[in-house]
Amino acid sequence: MSSIAILDFGSQYTQVIARRVREIGVYSEILPFSTPSQRMASYDGIILSGGPASVFSPHAPLPDKNLFALGKPVLGICYGLQVMTHLLGGKVARSNKREYGRSILHIQIHEKLFAKLPDTIEIWNSHGDKVTHLPPGFRALAWTENSPHAAIAHESLPLYGLQFHPEVSHTPKGKNLLANFLLSICLCRKTWGMKSFASRAVEKIRAQVGKDNVVLGLSGGVDSSVAAALLHRAIGHQLTCLFVDNGLLRANESRILRDIFTKNLKMRVQIINAADQFLHALRGVTDPERKRKIIGRTFIQVFDEAAAKIPKVKFLAQGTLYPDVIESVPIGDNPAAVIKSHHNVGGLPKKMKLRLVEPLRQLFKDEVRKLGEELGLPKEMVWRQPFPGPGLAVRCLGPVTAEKLTILRAADSIVVEEMKKTDWYYKTWQTFAVLLPVRSVGVMGDERSYEYTIAIRSVQSLDGMTADWTRLPHEVLATLSNRIINEVAGVNRVVFDITSKPPGTIEWE
Ligand code: XMP
């Protein structure tokens, strides 16, 4: 299978490069910038990412220089271009001024990298330093008003560099350019796609698991659902899914899962009703972090007990994704970059010594969704909004009680129903109801009321790390407010949260 290595110099866009390459149909992997060149020899080409550093800084991240002697095509992007220039004998000039934003690229030489592109294209820049002298044997392919060396290439070796970012959507022809690099220069074949991934993954799972049984914690989220469907295709009833109903779920959650997994996909799913145990453990607890800890601990107890009853179980399956396992190393003085390990191991039953099966480890979230569709999961499941592990407990402020959960669940299902009706559901990252521990006075008919308040939280986000509140149309908000107050007993006021993240968080607790 064709594959591309992407050396990570700490750019916020490294994962975007990897996704673009895969969208073109070529498998890509992200490696730390310090990877020894021999480890890159098996790839069809190498991309050097951008990054926040300057090649002049004492801690500048520099790669193994031998990578340029592997005979493999190399594409340096932004800082990657500067690294290539610096290591191969050209000159990079320090700059205190960043060039940031759109500009026009004038292409002089179309051969290969810019094949079939017009003479001028819109591009997006974000760089400080710039190349002033090309390394020996290099020539410029394209220029911008600010730089005569906006794109460069070696005259005879397959070495290329771009000062701008072809991976971002603000460079509209960037994907064509990357496709030229992958298909005409690296001579990759389009062998990456979810159909072929599914059949390879099925073989791999069968080889790993043999005749043993596998247990999987089905949460109802996209990742565990897709992992379950994939494992089921590979090993059928050797897979048992455990779904723990902790009493903190959205309305009809057990029924929805039963319909999709048990009725339609004919999978073996055990629904464990542990609502009383969770509510008992949460009684009187108001601190959000304590709520999370109690829920995590109780989940492990319930899950372990049920998993221990499954005969011949030797494996625990998890929906760990690629962003959780990408190796990273500290870049320069940036202490934020540490070696990541996957954090998804919450339910691992220790005593049973289960081995892990993680069939989605190579995939990005958008690929998981495509795979889910490929495996026949319905759109409502594959495009579900994220839902936190501690469930409604962190949306029910103050002590969690059965009465408050009933109110919140009813309000939340109206929110989800209306968002789906108006199609806003698929345009927002998350939209949900929060029950505030505040009662206020109202009039209902001729009577005074003194009831709870529901807050509606709706945000747009790419990854949940930052978010902005959704500018929902007033008519949609009016319908939500009317329906919640008329249909949910115990609520007489609805408010809309207009806080972005930061400074707020998406969840209220
Ligand atoms: P915050 O509230 O931190 O949320 O801005 C960011 C994203 O993470 C989800 N979230 C959680 N998910 N366990 C989870 O599995 C948690 O304890 C948790 N807290 C927040 C939240 O829904 C949002 O998508």
Side-chain angles (χ1 to χ4, degrees), residues 317-335:
Q318 294 195 145
T320 312
L321 305 192
Y322 191 47
D324 295 327
V325 296
I326 295 172
E327 250 183 288
S328 66
V329 290
I331 304 282
D333 299 325
N334 179 4

Side-chain angles (χ1 to χ4, degrees), residues 288-289 292 343-344 385-391 394-395 429-430 432 457 459 461 463-467 501 504-509:
E289 286 316 299
R292 278 194 172 74
H343 47 67
N344 247 349
Q385 294 185 348
F387 184 67
V394 291
R395 296 179 180 174
W429 169 264
Q430 272 170 304
F432 54 86
R457 181 70 164 142
V459 295
S461 172
D463 52 12
M465 304 297 283
T466 60
K501 173 182 178 176
T505 50
I506 295 176
E507 302 291 344
W508 275 46
E509 283 196 339

Side-chain angles (χ1 to χ4, degrees), residues 154-190:
H154 194 278
E155 306 213 352
S156 52
L157 302 172
L159 305 177
Y160 296 82
L162 302 172
Q163 185 58 86
F164 56 93
H165 289 271
E167 69 277 21
V168 302
S169 57
H170 306 310
T171 301
K173 293 278 184 209
K175 205 160 155 185
N176 306 52
L177 201 164
L178 286 172
N180 283 343
F181 177 71
L182 301 173
L183 307 176
S184 313
I185 296 170
C186 301
L187 303 178
C188 290
R189 283 178 305 120
K190 294 190 188 186

